Every structure is written in C-alpha cells, then in structure tokens.
Amino acid sequence: MERTQLLEMFKAKASEVAERDFSALEEASVIADMGVDSLAMLEVVGEMERELDVQIPDDNLVGIETVSQLLDVVEKRVASA
Amino acid sequence: MATDEFHVKLYRKFQTFFQEAEKKRRWNPVEDIPWSDINPDAPENLALCAETFLGVESYLPDYIRGGLEAVRASSVAQRWFTANWGYEELKHSMALTEYLVRSGKRTEEQMFDFQAKLMEEEWERPFDTGRKMSIYGMFQEMATFVIYLRHEKLALEHSDKALATVYRLNARDEIAHARFYEDVTRVYLEEDRDGTVADLAHVAKRFAMPGVGLVPDYDKRIEVMRGEGKMDRDIFLKKVYFPLLKRLDVNRRELVAAAAAERKAAKAERDAAE
C-alpha cells in the first residue's frame, strides 16, 4: 500500500473516531496538537489495524509524536505481514 | 440482573482485600511518617506538587457520594469497599496536609483557605453505573499509584524522607484499590464479557483524572507535576492502560470493535432523531 493511501486512511479513521474533520492533516502534524488523546488515537490505530488486517504490538505504539512516525510503524507492519 | 455467583465472587474478593488491608496496610498519618526527616530547604515545586495531590484527594466527599450512588445497587462488596476506600483515602489528605504545614511550606490557615476554595467546585461522577465506575476506578487508582511513585522518587532526590514516606504509603493504598477494582472488573467480564468490554471501551475513551477543571490552576499545576515527576504523555499507556488490559486478558481489537459499535449506535440514534 502506498504511503499516501496510508495517510488518507489515517485521516479518515481519525475523523470518524473523533467526529472532526482531519482532512488537512499532514505527515508532519504533531499528534498532541490534534486535540485527540492517546486512548482515542489507539482507537484510530485499531481501526487501521482492522482494515489492513495487521496487529501492531503495544510497545510500538508508545513514544509516537507525529503522524509520520505513526505511519512508519503501520507501514513496517504491513510490509512484514 | 447479576447472579448469586457474581455477588459471592465479589464478596470473596472484598473479604481478601479487607483482611490484607487490616493485616498489612493500616497506617497512621501522624505517627507513621518520619516527620523529623522533612527537608525544609526542598524547593517550592515539591510543596506545590504535594498541594496538588492534596487538591485532587480533597474532593473525597464527592467521590464517596458519587461512588456509593453508583454501586449502591451493584453488590454489598462494592458498597463496603467504597466505605473502606473513603477511610483509606482520607489519610492521604491528612498526611499531605501534615507535610505541608510541618515543612513550613504552608500555614494551617492557608490549608483551611485552600480547602474552602476547593469546595467551591463539585466533582460529579463521570459514569452512571457501578460497572463503569469500577472500571474508571481501576484506571484512575492505577494512574494515581504510578504518579505517587514518581513523586516518591523525586522527594528522595530532594532528601525529603518524610514526604517520600507519605507518597509511598499513599501509593501502597492506591495499588491495593486498583487491584480490587481490577478483580471486580474481571468478575464483570466473567459475568458479561461483551457488555464489560463495551464499558471498558466507553470509559477508556472518556477517561480523565478527577481533578481536571476542579483544582485551582490545575493545568499549570499538572505541568509542574509532569516536569518534576519526569512523566511523558505516554506514561498512562505504558504503565496503566496496556498492563491492565493484559492482566484482564482483553485485547485492543475487542475494544476497537466495541468502540465502533458504540459510535454506530450513537449515529443511528442521531439519525433517528433528525
């Protein structure tokens, strides 16, 4: 899956979970600035995992600050699946 | 309707909890703290953090009222636990007040004024059922335990053994409370896994520590506490959320599915209302 597709999926899932429009998000966006707490962000990741049929280990989901870092983790998991 | 087995299981958990508390965890906030080991030269931020803990702990009357209202119809074990919980939490406030006054960082008059100011706001329980409040208690007590431990370390770094002891004893109570709530949640899962997983997802999504928006200057105080305690934003995930889910044998996929179902139901309700 292309990186741009992953970004679009992230924006769509984040908008769905938080019920807000995140279409303007970029890879460089800082997650803390999105106004979505870490547990809601886990839900976003969970939705992506469901759609991509991958499971990301919990440890990989801590210390993530930007959308780009999160997409790196997802991308790596998809590649190894 | 909960089964007899549910009530018996919870009662056994409470009996064990209470026996352990009586045998190993009773302490006196005046007599069991080495008050002569206070470091009067410790920085103001140490006192500010202690005062912030005190601020959050001080809504105890509201917590007890809200907690009892939530579990009144749930089980005798939860009602009795809440009564005992209130007694144990009261000592946390007493010990923190003793520290602030004995250290000379605050006067007794300032403490009375602080308490009066705190009571201008009222804590409202965030969830409506005993099950959701037990899940909330599990997350919240575990988080408080983790924060107290960080601040115990900080107090020791500033050579204040008295404050470190206050934090250690408070933390020991908090982890015992967290484990009881965890046991209760486990029994709920055995009783109704789908419903309890749905409540776990619901509570997790809306979780906030109880002092938010109540304690004066809360945001500024929390910044200081985070900085001094060297707590990053992921500490809740690393030390509370993931470990608790693992211990309960609930995986994130189940929670995500439950959260999605809740969103879908809410949307259907909104659509029907339009």
Side-chain angles (χ1 to χ4, degrees):
Chain A
M1 180 174 255
E2 295 290 324
R3 181 80 171 195
T4 50
Q5 289 174 294
L6 281 181
L7 178 61
E8 288 310 310
M9 184 189 286
F10 175 78
K11 290 196 280 191
K13 298 296 181 191
S15 301
E16 186 185 323
V17 168
E19 295 179 351
R20 285 164 48 194
D21 180 17
F22 286 116
S23 56
L25 274 183
E26 296 170 359
E27 286 221 13
S29 301
V30 175
I31 289 173
D33 294 344
M34 290 170 63
V36 175
D37 71 21
S38 50
L39 292 174
M41 192 48 62
L42 276 186
E43 203 178 317
V44 176
V45 174
E47 285 292 347
M48 293 181 77
E49 288 176 291
R50 274 214 300 185
E51 189 153 331
L52 296 165
D53 197 21
V54 294
Q55 202 151 9
I56 299 166
D58 293 345
D59 291 350
N60 295 7
L61 296 173
V62 293
I64 290 174
E65 291 178 3
T66 63
V67 173
S68 174
Q69 288 170 341
L70 180 60
L71 295 187
D72 286 346
V73 171
V74 177
E75 193 173 37
K76 209 175 278 182
R77 203 67 197 173
V78 172
S80 66
Chain B
M1 184 75 175
T3 61
D4 287 346
E5 191 186 5
F6 169 84
H7 291 283
V8 172
K9 277 183 187 172
L10 285 189
Y11 190 67
R12 296 284 173 263
K13 298 287 184 194
F14 175 72
Q15 283 179 313
T16 305
F17 166 85
F18 189 76
Q19 283 300 104
E20 288 284 310
E22 290 289 297
K23 282 183 191 164
K24 299 176 183 170
R25 216 164 33 77
R26 292 295 175 230
W27 59 282
N28 183 313
V30 175
E31 292 174 4
D32 295 334
I33 312 288
W35 294 117
S36 57
D37 290 336
I38 282 177
N39 175 8
D41 300 323
E44 164 57 23
N45 271 356
L46 213 63
L48 184 80
C49 292
E51 191 182 63
T52 304
F53 276 120
L54 172 63
V56 178
E57 296 269 9
S58 291
Y59 290 94
L60 186 61
D62 300 337
Y63 304 150
I64 293 174
R65 187 203 62 226
L68 278 172
E69 279 171 1
V71 300
R72 194 176 188 284
S74 299
S75 70
V76 65
Q78 288 161 288
R79 293 192 288 275
W80 288 5
F81 171 82
T82 306
N84 178 79
W85 175 90
Y87 157 67
E88 294 187 2
E89 294 284 333
L90 161 70
K91 291 188 289 184
H92 302 175
S93 299
M94 285 181 71
L96 289 161
T97 303
E98 287 288 324
Y99 167 76
L100 287 161
V101 174
R102 287 176 190 245
S103 65
K105 301 289 185 188
R106 302 289 186 274
T107 63
E108 213 168 43
E109 191 182 0
Q110 283 175 317
M111 289 289 86
F112 283 123
D113 288 346
F114 185 56
Q115 286 292 345
K117 182 86 184 150
L118 290 166
M119 289 301 109
E120 288 173 9
E121 301 291 337
E122 199 170 321
W123 180 83
E124 297 292 340
R125 76 183 143 101
F127 302 103
D128 56 351
T129 66
R131 187 164 73 188
K132 285 182 189 146
M133 283 303 291
S134 295
I135 292 168
Y136 176 75
M138 173 183 72
F139 286 134
Q140 181 271 320
E141 296 281 311
M142 186 75 174
T144 308
F145 163 72
V146 169
I147 302 168
Y148 269 134
L149 280 194
R150 291 293 173 109
H151 282 264
E152 179 196 359
K153 198 175 164 199
L154 178 70
L156 287 173
E157 283 167 12
H158 287 291
S159 307
D160 198 319
K161 286 186 191 164
L163 182 59
T165 304
V166 171
Y167 286 151
R168 181 174 56 78
L169 292 170
N170 288 4
R172 195 179 65 176
D173 287 345
E174 303 289 355
I175 190 65
H177 301 161
R179 292 288 180 246
F180 179 76
Y181 282 126
E182 182 189 320
D183 282 342
V184 171
T185 303
R186 197 171 286 112
V187 173
Y188 274 125
L189 281 164
E190 288 164 8
E191 180 83 359
D192 171 14
R193 186 170 182 91
D194 290 348
T196 306
V197 167
D199 280 357
L200 271 164
H202 180 91
V203 172
K205 192 167 182 174
R206 293 157 182 82
F207 181 83
M209 291 299 274
V212 178
L214 297 177
V215 177
D217 303 321
Y218 185 80
D219 290 344
K220 279 187 204 165
R221 287 173 178 275
I222 291 304
E223 277 309 304
V224 173
M225 287 187 77
R226 279 199 183 126
E228 294 290 339
K230 297 177 183 67
M231 290 179 286
D232 59 49
R233 290 187 176 274
D234 282 338
I235 194 168
F236 185 80
L237 292 184
K238 285 186 287 190
K239 301 288 185 188
V240 178
Y241 189 70
F242 289 147
L244 281 173
L245 290 191
K246 196 170 179 187
R247 289 168 64 89
L248 291 170
D249 197 23
V250 172
N251 68 51
R252 284 194 295 110
R253 282 198 167 198
E254 285 179 275
L255 293 177
V256 168
E262 188 184 16
R263 276 201 311 279
K264 200 174 164 186
K267 188 177 180 306
E269 206 171 297
R270 279 199 305 272
D271 290 348
E274 280 170 8

